Every structure is written in C-alpha cells, then in structure tokens.
Amino acid sequence: MGAQIRVYKRRIKTVSATKKITKAMEMIAASRIVKAQRKVAASAPYAGELTRAVTAVATGSNTKHALTTEVETPVRAAILLVTSDRGLAGGYSSNAIKAADQLTTRLKAEGKDVVTYIVGRKGVAYYGFRERPIVESWTGFTDSPTYADAKRVAGPLIEAVQQDTAEGGVDELHIVFTEFVSMMTQTPVDKRLLPLSLETTTEESEAVKDKILPLYDFEPSAEGVLDALLPRYVESRIYNALLQSAASEHAARRRAMKSATDNAEELIKSLTRLANAARQADITQEISEIVGGASALADATAGSDR
C-alpha cells in the first residue's frame, strides 16, 4: 500500500506542475487577445477606405485591370492559407486547413488549377507531411504580425496576379483565415481578394438611383491609379486577415489552456481521493494487524496461565 500511495503522490506532483504551466499560458493568451483586438479595430478603417477608393476608381472608369476585371475563363487560382506557428490552440489550425481543403476542392471542381501559399508552421508541416506542393511559405510572426510581414507575404501574390497564366500567373486570389467573432467564437472563412467584387447592396443601389453620380478625373490615368492601389489593397486585406487570425489564435489557445487547467484540477482531485483511500486502507490494515497481534498475545498468555 505504501508504494501505491507514493505513486499517487508522484502523479499529483506531476499534474500540479502541468497545471501551473497551462494556467500561465492561459493568462498570457488572455492578455494578448486584447492587444490583438485593438490592432484589428485599428486596421479596419484603413482597409475599408482603401476598398472604397478602389471601388470608386473601378466604377468611375472603363479601364480593364487585374484588380477589378473578371477573367472570362479563369484557369488558375491561388490560395493563401493562414495557420499558426505554435500548437496548443485546440483546433485553430486544423479548422483553417479543412476550410482550405474545401475551397481547393470547389475550385478544382470548377476546372481551375490551384496553387497554395501558406503562412504558419502548422500549415507548412501539414502540407509537407502529405507531400503537397507549396509555392511559398512564411513563418515566425503569426502571433504578432506587422504590416511589414503582410507586405512581405503580399509581394509574391501580387506578382502572380500580374503575370500571365502561361508564365505561372493566376487569375484569382483567395485567402483562408480565421475570423475573430468573439472570445468564444472564431470562424474559418475563405474570401476572394482578386478580382475585387464591385457588387453594391440593394440599399446602396436605392440610395444612388435618383442622385447624380460624381464625375471622376484620374491622374495620370485610371489604370495608373489602379496600379498604385493594387499593392496597397492586397497588403491591407492580408494584414487585416493576419490580425484576425492572431486574435483567433490567442482566443483558441486561451480556451484550450483553460480546458487543460480544468482537466488537471479534476485529475488532481481524483488522484487525491485515490491516495486518501489507499492511505485509509493502509491504516485499516495496520490496525487489523495490531488488533490481531494483541488478540493472539492475549490467547497465548491465557494458555500459559492454565
């Protein structure tokens, strides 16, 4: 029994040490979520205004540009998949990978070749283990991305969009990332970055139906303006997606670590009960041995007196 109690104590000590680690990781993730949320909120106005500017140029001119013009028969599409560099975040990366696989299947069903770009070590490891081709990958910044990181990611994608498909270019650019909805909800989504959709809502159409639309004059030209806005648009959208993914990663890790901490507490309680039961059984056995010994001694004494 004594050996069993020592085993329980050793396991309780090990689980307690694990609980301290998971609790610390939970607190760190919780503190980083607030910073990530602020960055997401700060990036939204710039991305919205830039999209509005691009829309104004596209609707106010007849220029055909890769940013806004739909290819009549697209043959190749690029997917940018955003995952995490580190684990211990529940199903955060795996859910994004599943969404990318679903998008890939859908695009291939439409007759398009698909090329993949990946952000994050988890996605790179997943594709590498399954020997799936990756055009380019970036790692080391998923938990705290900067605009410089987004610019570095956007560079090869913009080059691919501007190239002809016969030379390895793409007709469409999609991005798969995890959208931060709330502390408890993070949803993997796929969005098409290029060509930019210029559809207006019903309310917007009704609002401008009876109004005189402004007449735009572009310097040096509408095409030149779109050429200048193309990198900024892609960079801002990718930056916003990276920030959304970072906030989602921290939220998923906080939730996973809280669950691990709660499970450790339950395991400690269970092991403590087992240790107490083993100790009680050990004490009971010792008492029984003492009582039995005393009874045997009393019987022996009584026999000698006779």
Side-chain angles (χ1 to χ4, degrees), residues 21 27-28 38 50-51 58 64 87 107 141 169 190 201 210 217 239 255 262 268 298 300 305:
I21 295 173
M27 296 176 66
I28 292 171
R38 290 174 181 170
L50 189 56
T51 302
K64 291 186 178 181
L107 292 174
F141 55 82
D190 64 86
T201 63
D210 298 327
D217 188 17
Y239 181 50
R255 190 168 61 252
D262 294 342
I268 290 172
D305 291 341

Side-chain angles (χ1 to χ4, degrees), residues 59-177:
T59 56
S61 68
N62 295 323
T63 302
K64 291 186 178 181
H65 194 273
L67 183 61
T68 58
T69 304
E70 294 272 359
V71 178
E72 189 172 335
T73 308
V75 297
R76 183 177 290 112
I79 296 177
L80 174 62
L81 170 60
V82 182
T83 61
S84 65
D85 285 323
R86 298 185 294 128
L88 301 177
Y92 164 76
S93 292
S94 61
N95 290 337
I97 291 171
K98 288 178 183 177
D101 287 343
Q102 293 172 358
L103 176 60
T104 300
T105 302
R106 188 170 74 247
L107 292 174
K108 287 184 177 179
E110 296 172 358
K112 303 170 187 173
D113 293 331
V114 178
V115 293
T116 307
Y117 298 77
I118 298 180
V119 173
R121 291 189 178 93
K122 289 298 178 180
V124 173
Y126 179 89
Y127 274 66
F129 180 76
R130 287 159 180 79
E131 297 182 350
R132 296 184 182 179
I134 302 173
V135 178
E136 197 162 346
S137 62
W138 303 266
T139 59
F141 55 82
T142 59
D143 59 344
S144 184
T146 63
Y147 193 85
D149 296 322
K151 192 171 183 178
R152 186 154 53 93
V153 173
L157 296 172
I158 295 171
E159 290 180 6
V161 171
Q162 291 175 331
Q163 284 181 345
D164 189 84
T165 52
E167 301 174 355
V170 298
D171 299 315
E172 296 178 357
L173 173 58
H174 301 258
I175 183 169
V176 178
F177 65 99

